[in-house]
Amino acid sequence: MKQVKRRTWFCLLFTALLAVGLGLFLMRYTVHGGEWAAFRANRHIYDTNGHLLSGTVRDRTGAVLYDAASGTYHEDAALRRALLHATGDRDGNIATGAVYAFGDKLSGFTPILGTTTGGHNLYLTLDASLCAKAYSAMNGRKGAVGVYNYKTGEVLCMVSLPAFDPADPPTIRDGDSRYEGVYVNRFLSASYTPGSVFKLVTTAAALEQLPDVESRTFTCDGRIEIDGQAITCPSAHGTMTFSQALANSCNGVYASLASELGGRTMWQYAKKAGLLDGVSVSGLSSAAGNYTAAADGSADLGWSGVGQYEDLVNPCAMMTFAGTIANGGAVVSPRLLLKETTAGGLPAGRFSAEKHAGGLRAATCETLREMMRANVTEHYGQSQFGDLAVCAKSGTAEVGGGQRPHAWFTGFIDDEAHPLAFVVVVENGGSGASAAGGVAAQVLSAAVEAGY
Ligand SMILES: [Zn+2]
């Protein structure tokens, strides 16, 4: 009798262990099943070369960018190149490419039916024609272009150069500068010295921490000295208001403001602006930025306030910050996934806007908006933007080594009908306002013309 009782207990114990194990497995299966199915050695979904066998990647209009069953890309070569980093290459070298990054969705995996019902159609938020226009506006120069709707988070344009035609990939030799970092999606995965676009952060910090800053008058005679080092402007800017100091992008004023604010406060505002941490874009994490708080009273601290020293910013994070200013301080995360349907066209997944409170006050964003609008009307020139209420800041980031500076241009359209924020980086492009500003003007006008 005693033995039977003991056996019963053992049976119960093993049944309980089995139940717990099964429960854990089912939980992990439900959460991670799609990823397991998308494992590149899974022969139901990938062929022996690791090529996806089912599903289509489409742009927001439904244009097929990649059909995995036939292994074919879009018929237009210019469009294939422009969308290389969004669609991905067959060999999976591009980590941000949908073919690689969203393989679990394309495979059509569901916890009950597995992958038996066929691949899914994955619609990206991108407009392929707009991406092609941005690619062409870059005119072969390396860099990145991004445009997103700051109300819905939908990324309409994401382009990274250099690129190649994924339908006819070139043989790339080590050290071939034409293809330097070609597998890197520079919009999501690169960080650059920001130069003067970083003055938006210093401006935000000054507006919140120096209550009288808007009533101050500043004077620039072309250079100031901090800790024995000269910080110079291209020419003497003379006497200015705070708004004019931003429009003139006066290094002297901004280095002095950073010194007054201190390294710790400057770091806090780089963090509040969302420029230090990666931005999550439909689960893809953008590259982190950097702000090193230099010693108080040092020239390095001054340079960090004008976007030089060790400052690094990712283009996608910068675009998101511009969108945050447009939204009065609320952060709408950019996203790349619009919808997912089954092979038969039934809805299989919906993706919606993610909005959360940011670190900056609404009043700060409102003043930044006015100052960025004045940059365009009084400095860059409204004519290149037609009648669009563009608010912007340029950056010309010194990169050393005798190379031309990186050109930046970022901002947004202040219009409920066209809620677009943007960023353009042209590597070694020279002047931010003319090189990157020119690309931004072309892309924005194409976006608005397309109805965005
Ligand atoms: Zn100056």
Side-chain angles (χ1 to χ4, degrees):
M1 193 62 188
K2 219 175 176 181
Q3 209 177 5
V4 172
K5 221 176 177 180
R6 226 173 60 196
R7 280 184 188 159
T8 310
W9 275 114
F10 269 116
C11 280
L12 278 174
L13 181 69
F14 283 122
T15 311
L17 281 174
L18 183 71
V20 170
L22 193 66
L24 275 174
F25 171 76
L26 281 175
M27 203 172 78
R28 296 194 59 208
Y29 176 72
T30 311
V31 176
H32 298 293
E35 288 165 38
W36 296 345
F39 181 62
R40 296 184 78 77
N42 185 344
R43 294 289 157 246
H44 292 292
I45 299 177
Y46 298 101
D47 69 10
T48 47
N49 296 316
H51 299 156
L52 195 69
L53 291 173
S54 66
T56 63
V57 180
R58 296 164 185 256
D59 86 340
R60 63 183 298 117
T61 69
V64 178
L65 305 176
Y66 184 66
D67 176 16
S70 60
T72 50
Y73 286 86
H74 194 277
E75 59 188 18
D76 182 342
L79 202 143
R80 292 197 296 266
R81 267 189 285 273
L83 285 132
L84 170 71
H85 297 89
T87 313
D89 62 328
R90 269 192 222 115
D91 295 331
N93 289 313
I94 296 163
T96 60
V99 172
Y100 184 85
F102 305 127
D104 56 337
K105 293 186 167 51
L106 292 164
S107 72
F109 176 87
T110 61
I112 310 249
L113 298 170
T115 58
T116 53
T117 54
H120 282 186
N121 304 306
L122 191 60
Y123 291 75
L124 303 180
T125 54
L126 301 171
D127 180 309
S129 308
L130 187 61
C131 294
K133 289 213 168 92
Y135 185 90
S136 138
M138 288 292 282
N139 200 18
R141 294 166 295 180
K142 291 173 184 147
V145 183
V147 179
Y148 94 126
N149 179 312
Y150 56 76
K151 297 289 181 199
T152 65
E154 291 166 17
V155 180
L156 300 165
C157 171
M158 173 177 79
V159 163
S160 173
L161 292 93
F164 57 79
D165 181 356
D168 183 20
T171 308
I172 300 171
R173 291 192 177 78
D174 269 358
D176 186 339
S177 64
R178 288 173 305 167
Y179 295 112
E180 184 207 346
V182 73
Y183 298 131
V184 176
N185 180 339
R186 284 155 154 84
F187 173 73
L188 282 175
S189 313
S191 289
Y192 296 96
T193 302
S196 298
V197 289
F198 192 82
K199 285 172 183 154
L200 295 173
V201 175
T202 314
T203 305
L207 287 169
E208 294 195 357
Q209 299 298 322
L210 309 173
D212 68 328
V213 75
E214 285 182 88
S215 56
R216 289 189 196 177
T217 304
F218 301 89
T219 309
C220 164
D221 57 15
R223 76 194 293 275
I224 61 163
E225 218 164 83
I226 298 180
D227 194 25
Q229 278 189 50
I231 291 179
T232 56
C233 285
S235 61
H237 288 120
T239 305
M240 299 161 277
T241 63
F242 187 39
S243 180
Q244 286 165 334
L246 183 69
N248 290 332
S249 210
C250 179
N251 289 341
V253 169
Y254 275 84
S256 307
L257 287 172
S259 298
E260 188 177 344
L261 287 158
R264 175 83 198 145
T265 301
M266 284 297 299
W267 179 87
Q268 282 169 346
Y269 276 86
K271 178 101 178 154
K272 282 184 190 212
L275 300 181
L276 299 188
D277 308 307
V279 178
S280 176
V281 183
S282 295
L284 301 174
S285 192
S286 74
N290 183 67
Y291 179 85
T292 306
D296 285 345
S298 65
D300 287 341
L301 176 57
W303 280 118
S304 74
V306 305
Q308 295 289 153
Y309 184 45
E310 294 177 357
D311 299 5
L312 288 174
V313 173
N314 163 259
C316 177
M318 192 73 228
M319 180 191 78
T320 310
F321 178 39
T324 302
I325 297 170
N327 279 328
V331 182
V332 175
S333 308
R335 61 195 171 98
L336 280 168
L337 298 182
L338 186 69
K339 63 173 178 174
E340 184 182 341
T341 64
T342 64
L346 297 171
R350 283 217 157 266
F351 311 96
S352 52
E354 278 177 45
K355 189 174 178 177
H356 63 271
L360 298 177
R361 295 177 200 152
T364 308
C365 293
E366 172 58 19
T367 309
L368 275 169
R369 185 191 63 75
E370 286 168 8
M371 291 169 79
M372 290 168 78
R373 181 75 189 115
N375 286 349
V376 173
T377 54
E378 287 164 33
H379 204 78
Y380 309 135
Q382 176 63 41
S383 62
Q384 61 182 321
F385 301 107
D387 55 5
L388 298 177
V390 173
C391 304
K393 181 73 192 88
S394 66
T396 306
E398 300 299 335
V399 289
Q403 296 187 71
R404 272 156 63 88
H406 291 338
W408 280 82
F409 202 73
T410 188
F412 55 92
I413 304 178
D414 181 29
D415 186 344
E416 289 283 320
H418 310 291
L420 305 176
F422 59 89
V423 67
V424 177
V425 180
V426 183
E427 291 178 22
N428 311 118
S431 154
S434 62
V439 173
Q442 288 181 58
V443 176
L444 289 177
S445 103
V448 170
E449 202 171 299
Y452 299 118

